[in-house]
Amino acid sequence: MRDLTLGFSPCPNDTYIFHALVHGLVETPGLAFRERLEDVETLNRLALEGVLDVSKVSYHALGFLRDEYLLLRSGGALGRGCGPLVVTKGAGSMKDLRGKPIAVPGRYTTAALLLRLFDPSLDNLVYLPFNEIMAGVARGEFAAGVIIHESRFTFPEYGLTKLLDLGAWWEGETGCPIPLGGIVARRSLGRETVAAIDAALRASVAHARSNPSAASAYIRAHSQEMSDEVCAAHIGLYVNDFSLQLGAEGELAVAALLGRAEAAGVIPRSVAPLFG
């Protein structure tokens, strides 16, 4: 039995997707997984340090990982209408934010990448855990914040308003869905093992979609601060057909994001094949 470290976030979409895999409800021939649940920026940094065999990472972080990790085609977060939001306490425009502090949920998050692609002059970025951003903006510590995850549903409770939907901007610019986070596996595991992991993960997504209540206790155990309604909305927003299989449209979207990030000098160029 090959024992692999597996990192993913405690967010409802990830616990929903990985539940069957880590609870032995799908076949994982010759493989065993030791789960590690961390916020997305911690996962990005653990992968950059080479700590994890398999992990959820931001697509921004993937730009720095391509020589060591392969991207899997299943289990990720990619879609339409689900991108990061720029929120503020008062009215204004994105140009008004130039030179002012903007809270961003981690240096290697796709949220940070999208903001840089939108306007490179927005460079006074303060990196915070995603769940601290709305309160900081509400207290006036930052001119704006870039929010992700369930914050998309709860920012009005903090008296904040949406200034820009970065996902909608991306879709309008490219016509592509927005790649947020994907699953990577070490190249050194070998193609056969990576393919088996991808197949097992695809089966885990399929199991979750066929048995939507099976993961409920596991999801709630890791999201006790969220209401049932927010949990359901979170899963509904971030889990879709692309989570089961990227497909041609998803792969094109990933290539577009990485290509633009390379052209902007935000990530290093790489000639390594992205998939196994």
Side-chain angles (χ1 to χ4, degrees):
M1 184 69 70
R2 193 169 191 179
D3 192 38
L4 302 176
T5 51
L6 169 64
F8 55 95
S9 84
C11 292
N13 61 309
D14 279 355
T15 48
Y16 174 88
I17 282 173
F18 284 96
H19 171 260
L21 182 68
V22 300
H23 288 85
L25 301 178
V26 296
E27 290 188 16
T28 57
L31 301 174
F33 296 94
R34 287 185 288 115
E35 63 189 306
R36 178 166 178 177
L37 277 67
E38 303 282 359
D39 70 273
V40 67
E41 184 67 354
T42 299
L43 292 172
N44 289 338
R45 292 185 178 277
L46 288 171
L48 287 164
E49 294 165 9
V51 172
L52 300 169
D53 295 315
V54 184
S55 185
K56 173 78 171 283
V57 297
S58 300
Y59 274 104
H60 184 184
L62 175 63
F64 297 89
L65 293 167
R66 290 176 287 178
D67 290 342
E68 300 298 328
Y69 286 86
L70 289 164
L71 178 64
L72 305 187
R73 290 181 167 87
S74 301
L78 185 151
R80 298 184 184 276
C82 59
L85 306 179
V86 181
V87 296
T88 183
K89 193 175 181 180
S93 70
M94 292 298 293
K95 290 182 179 179
D96 295 333
L97 299 179
R98 291 174 179 170
K100 297 179 180 178
I102 303 171
V104 180
R107 184 180 301 273
Y108 297 103
T109 58
T110 304
L113 171 58
L114 287 171
L115 187 67
R116 292 182 68 178
L117 293 178
F118 173 79
D119 185 350
S121 69
L122 298 172
D123 56 3
N124 187 358
L125 306 183
V126 182
Y127 301 107
L128 287 180
F130 80 92
N131 58 337
E132 297 179 11
I133 289 177
M134 292 188 294
V137 176
R139 289 192 298 265
E141 297 172 6
F142 312 103
V146 184
I147 59 171
I148 57 175
H149 301 328
E150 65 275 6
S151 301
R152 285 182 56 96
F153 309 110
T154 58
F155 71 87
E157 298 172 13
Y158 289 77
L160 305 179
T161 57
K162 180 177 70 174
L163 201 57
L164 176 68
D165 185 326
L166 283 164
W169 167 76
W170 167 265
E171 291 174 40
E173 283 282 303
T174 67
C176 294
I178 177 64
L180 297 171
I183 313 302
V184 296
R186 288 186 192 277
R187 291 181 182 272
S188 61
L189 294 174
R191 289 181 180 273
E192 186 176 336
T193 297
V194 171
I197 295 166
D198 208 353
L201 185 50
R202 187 159 53 253
S204 188
V205 177
H207 184 280
R209 298 181 80 180
S210 299
N211 305 273
S213 63
S216 295
Y218 185 60
I219 293 167
R220 295 304 295 150
H222 294 288
S223 56
Q224 295 176 11
E225 73 284 358
M226 290 186 216
S227 68
D228 290 340
E229 292 75 18
V230 169
C231 274
H234 190 117
I235 294 167
L237 185 64
Y238 295 110
V239 181
N240 52 39
D241 289 344
F242 292 116
S243 305
L244 188 65
Q245 182 82 357
L246 273 179
E249 185 181 13
E251 292 184 27
L252 180 63
V254 173
L257 183 66
L258 295 178
R260 288 192 175 217
E262 284 184 348
V266 180
I267 63 172
R269 294 186 180 276
S270 175
V271 296
L274 193 56
F275 300 98

